[in-house]
Amino acid sequence: MRTAIPPHLLQDPEVEASEKVLRACVHCGFCNATCPTYLLTGNELEGPRGRIYLIKNILEEDVPPTRQTVEHIDNCLGCLACETTCPSGVDYSLLLETARPRLDQLVKRPLMDRLLRALLTRMLPYPGRTRLALKMSGVGRAFSFLMPRVMRPLLAMAPKRLPRPAAVARPGVVPAEGTRRLRVALLTGCVQQVLGPQINDATVRLLTRLGAEVVIPPDMGCCGALTFHMGERKRSLKLMQHTIEIWHRELEAGLDAIVLNTSGCGTAIKEYDHIFRHDPQWADKAKAVVERVRDVSEVVAQLGLGEANHAPVLKVAYHDACSLQHGQHVTDPPRQLLQAAGFEVVEVPEGHICCGSAGTYNMLRPDLAQQLQARKVEHIASVAPQIVAAGNIGCMEQIAARAEVPVVHTVELLDWATGGPRPAVI
């Protein structure tokens, strides 16, 4: 693709990198075939190829962006299925993450949209605030008719009852059972601490049972992924820097891996070295962190399950979180582990298409998200599973809202199969 980006913009290293990505695109359109929003709308501007043209126009400054431009970019889930499909290796995620903050500077969003985004960026990264907000959601539901329309989907998604805080995955060091084989740090997630603490408990039990010492830093915070993918930068970068500092300290104390059981976080964290590549204060530390980051399924596969015959043989539909299959290219380990644990794993049709969760997408673009949710649940039902397993809390919440079978994290099943408790929802 030819570009005509003004020289003064090319002095920005992010724009310079974006130009290289744009030049790699050959307009083939293969990406549209796997784009969820293009499949729903058939609109060229709701597919990756169309959005690439919009981003090109923004950078070339030929066509002033409008609110309609912002809407087309906002409608992108950031699922990265297009990257998996692209024969030219176009780094679409780089274009997207460069375009979103630039659009925020160039186009003023509607007031209610700005308020919703401000609420999410100030609430979701902080478990205490999120827990308080969800506890108050019952009152909000009673008066939802008085709430702004954009706020109502948040109330509808809020659970009526919150689980108890984690009992095992608490700050500190949890020793390995028997001989220590690995020493790892665990990111417990911000939203996951509130909505899925049982996932963290199962992760710690599983890892320690297999011989890993698990470190949960007491001052660990949000990794910055949720707000970063929304296009917000000031708060996101500070959260990322704090995370890098905490993990770098643990690396110096001796650490074999940084384990993530929230694949949505993993996609952003594995980009830390790219995000901070031009910052001399953080570049080396970020690179050292990224080199140790691994999904929990990869670490468990390395350790080996050992004896895994405690759970009954159940038919499990494994859902590929986009952040895991497209963002991190981790597809085989979860399936292989579930099979090794004695479960019958079945493939979900159209498994490469997003469920509509996509971080904050189902809160910001509920209409499209609900269409994708219905599509995903229908495909899951077609294989008649007894359980759905996934590797990301966002996908779990999205699918569980409509699915007629229990939805659990992969580690909950692996923990059960190796001697842990039966997941509460099963």
Side-chain angles (χ1 to χ4, degrees):
M1 178 182 289
R2 293 184 178 180
T3 60
I5 300 174
H8 72 276
L9 283 183
L10 288 172
Q11 293 177 11
D12 182 336
E14 299 300 330
V15 176
E16 182 183 22
S18 293
E19 186 193 38
K20 292 178 181 177
V21 176
L22 288 169
R23 288 181 177 274
C25 179
V26 297
H27 323 276
C28 68
F30 286 179
C31 53
N32 284 347
T34 56
C35 175
T37 50
Y38 183 81
L39 292 179
L40 291 180
T41 66
N43 185 340
E44 175 71 16
L45 294 179
E46 291 295 344
R49 183 170 59 183
R51 291 187 178 112
I52 286 173
Y53 273 104
L54 291 175
I55 293 170
K56 175 177 177 287
N57 289 339
I58 295 167
L59 294 177
E60 290 181 340
E61 299 184 326
D62 285 339
V63 182
T66 63
R67 283 188 177 179
Q68 191 66 44
T69 306
V70 174
E71 184 174 341
H72 289 310
I73 301 299
D74 282 350
N75 283 347
C76 177
L77 296 111
C79 69
L80 307 185
C82 55
E83 286 194 5
T84 301
T85 310
C86 179
S88 302
V90 173
D91 189 350
Y92 176 78
S93 62
L94 189 151
L95 287 177
L96 187 65
E97 301 303 352
T98 301
R100 280 181 164 157
R102 184 170 292 276
L103 277 172
D104 279 343
Q105 294 173 357
L106 296 173
V107 182
K108 191 170 185 178
R109 295 176 178 275
L111 176 61
M112 286 296 104
D113 190 16
R114 298 201 306 273
L115 289 176
L116 177 57
R117 288 170 175 271
L119 172 66
L120 294 177
T121 57
R122 288 162 176 78
M123 180 183 73
L124 294 179
Y126 309 97
R129 298 179 192 178
T130 301
R131 182 174 291 276
L132 177 61
L134 291 176
K135 283 183 177 179
M136 295 174 62
S137 64
V139 177
R141 273 192 289 267
F143 296 95
S144 61
F145 61 94
L146 297 174
M147 301 289 285
R149 184 178 177 183
V150 297
M151 300 292 183
R152 293 174 193 171
L154 272 68
L155 294 173
M157 285 188 288
K160 292 185 173 136
R161 181 178 298 177
L162 290 177
R164 293 181 179 180
V168 180
R170 295 181 175 179
V173 179
V174 186
E177 294 181 13
T179 303
R180 189 181 83 178
R181 300 168 61 193
L182 289 177
R183 186 173 191 268
V184 303
L186 174 66
L187 175 70
T188 52
C190 41
V191 174
Q192 183 164 283
Q193 287 185 49
V194 180
L195 295 179
Q198 77 282 355
I199 299 170
N200 293 328
D201 280 348
T203 300
V204 173
R205 285 193 301 263
L206 178 63
L207 290 174
T208 54
R209 188 180 301 122
L210 299 180
E213 179 180 272
V214 180
V215 180
I216 302 177
D219 43 3
M220 188 80 249
C222 174
C223 69
L226 278 173
T227 50
F228 187 83
H229 290 315
M230 290 170 62
E232 197 282 334
R233 290 295 177 266
K234 185 176 180 181
R235 292 173 183 270
S236 301
L237 294 177
K238 286 183 179 179
L239 291 170
M240 290 177 172
Q241 289 166 355
H242 177 76
T243 301
I244 291 169
E245 194 63 55
I246 297 302
W247 279 340
H248 196 262
R249 182 188 67 198
E250 296 298 336
L251 287 173
E252 290 179 334
L255 207 62
D256 296 300
I258 297 168
V259 178
L260 306 181
N261 58 12
T262 50
S263 65
C265 300
T267 303
I269 292 170
K270 288 186 176 182
E271 292 292 321
Y272 276 3
D273 54 347
H274 175 81
I275 293 168
F276 292 101
R277 68 193 185 282
H278 297 299
D279 189 330
Q281 180 181 355
W282 297 101
D284 290 342
K285 289 183 178 181
K287 184 178 179 182
V289 164
V290 170
E291 287 174 350
R292 290 289 194 280
V293 171
R294 301 176 70 191
D295 183 71
V296 62
S297 64
E298 296 176 293
V299 175
V300 174
Q302 177 187 346
L303 291 168
L305 276 182
E307 184 181 346
N309 55 8
H310 294 270
V313 177
L314 296 171
K315 188 177 180 182
V316 178
Y318 177 71
H319 164 72
D320 278 290
C322 297
S323 47
L324 206 52
Q325 66 170 322
H326 302 308
Q328 301 179 57
H329 307 293
V330 175
T331 55
D332 292 337
R335 289 174 167 81
Q336 293 168 352
L337 288 168
L338 288 169
Q339 289 170 345
F343 298 104
E344 178 191 351
V345 180
V346 293
E347 295 299 321
V348 178
E350 216 176 70
H352 59 289
I353 298 297
C354 185
C355 67
S357 172
T360 57
Y361 190 88
N362 55 358
M363 305 175 212
L364 294 169
R365 321 302 283 181
D367 292 343
L368 289 170
Q370 287 167 16
Q371 292 180 60
L372 291 170
Q373 178 192 56
R375 187 175 183 133
K376 180 62 66 176
V377 170
E378 182 180 352
H379 283 306
I380 289 172
S382 72
V383 296
Q386 293 168 282
I387 305 171
V388 178
N392 188 54
I393 182 68
C395 301
M396 291 170 58
E397 293 291 319
Q398 177 80 346
I399 295 169
R402 284 204 185 194
E404 296 182 356
V405 294
V407 182
V408 298
H409 196 288
T410 305
V411 295
E412 293 183 80
L413 294 179
L414 299 178
D415 176 44
W416 183 24
T418 54
R422 181 189 184 108
V425 297
I426 297 177

